[in-house]
Amino acid sequence: MKSEINNLFSYEEACISEGLNLVAGVDEAGRGPLAGPVTAVAVICDFKKITPRVNDSKKLSDRVRRLLYDELKESLIDYKIVNVSETVIDEVNILNATKMAMSEAVLNLNPKPNAVLVDAVKLNIPFKTIPIIHGDALSYSIASASIIAKVSRDDYMLALSKEYPEYGFEIHKGYGTKHHIEMIKKFGACPAHRASFIKKFV
């Protein structure tokens, strides 16, 4: 198992060497923004169908991410996308909301994984779970999840920009850019904003 840009399979190979052949990768997008959901994705990769150029989504252009998004969805054994809303984020905090989204994504995979590789976060799920710091740059499975999560959340924010065009969600995807903060101060919050994140701006 080789990637064209990196060897991203050491954690997967370690699991498979233990007989854990169905390996899930989990990542999220949107922990930091001032608006919109946090999006978690769990994937089970078919290692006979490797998608070239897979890497940490942050290292890829939007164009490449979207190409890989389509290729990955065709090559994966299964994947699940879960959004946890800004309302829940305000209620339980962003870390717990992220864990909720990740756990739900994993638990809804079919077939069930034998092992779960997670980007940094520890999850309380009934599977062998391996948190990996900077996992989206070290694991093909986590990197695949990171690409699907990023594109899925970006598309959500693009749709939201049509509903609330004054904030520029299509440009910054809800992150706290100078323009976004100026628009919050000018127009106030909309229902998509995380109240707990924007207290000092409204």
Side-chain angles (χ1 to χ4, degrees):
M1 293 185 287
K2 298 290 181 184
S3 164
E4 288 190 0
I5 49 175
N6 272 314
N7 181 8
L8 297 175
F9 297 98
S10 59
Y11 289 96
E12 286 85 346
E13 287 169 346
C15 290
I16 291 168
S17 71
E18 296 179 26
L20 305 171
N21 294 317
L22 286 174
V23 182
V26 189
D27 202 3
E28 53 72 30
R31 285 181 71 173
L34 307 179
V38 61
T39 301
V41 171
V43 306
I44 297 178
C45 297
D46 183 346
F47 297 120
K48 296 176 183 176
K49 300 177 182 178
I50 296 302
T51 301
R53 295 190 292 173
V54 162
N55 202 349
D56 175 2
S57 64
K58 295 186 290 296
K59 298 178 180 178
L60 304 171
S61 68
D62 180 68
R63 183 185 68 83
V64 172
R65 280 196 299 263
R66 290 182 179 280
L67 289 171
L68 292 173
Y69 175 84
D70 291 332
E71 293 176 28
L72 281 167
K73 290 201 300 182
E74 295 298 319
S75 69
L76 296 169
I77 294 172
D78 195 24
Y79 68 94
K80 289 294 181 290
I81 303 169
V82 174
N83 291 309
V84 169
S85 72
E86 56 283 337
T87 303
V88 175
I89 291 169
D90 287 333
E91 289 174 355
V92 304
N93 77 44
I94 186 60
L95 177 58
N96 287 327
T98 299
K99 290 180 177 181
M100 287 170 59
M102 286 180 162
S103 298
E104 183 178 341
V106 174
L107 292 171
N108 282 287
L109 287 169
N110 185 23
K112 301 303 181 189
N114 305 125
V116 181
L117 307 178
V118 189
D119 187 36
V121 178
K122 294 182 179 180
L123 301 178
N124 183 20
I125 52 177
F127 309 105
K128 179 182 177 70
T129 305
I130 304 167
I132 305 168
I133 303 297
H134 302 307
D136 46 6
L138 298 172
S139 159
Y140 177 89
S141 300
I142 297 176
S144 298
S146 80
I147 291 166
I148 294 177
K150 174 62 175 166
V151 174
S152 297
R153 189 181 185 280
D154 281 358
D155 284 348
Y156 184 102
M157 298 307 294
L158 287 170
L160 203 61
S161 72
K162 295 179 174 63
E163 193 171 353
Y164 305 105
E166 61 270 30
Y167 296 100
F169 290 140
E170 73 279 5
I171 300 168
H172 50 68
K173 310 302 187 294
Y175 283 87
T177 63
K178 180 181 178 182
H179 175 262
H180 187 191
I181 292 168
E182 287 174 351
M183 294 304 99
I184 294 171
K185 290 178 178 178
K186 181 177 181 179
F187 296 108
C190 76
H193 282 106
R194 303 173 182 178
S196 56
F197 279 52
I198 63 168
K199 290 177 180 178
K200 59 184 177 182
F201 306 129
V202 293

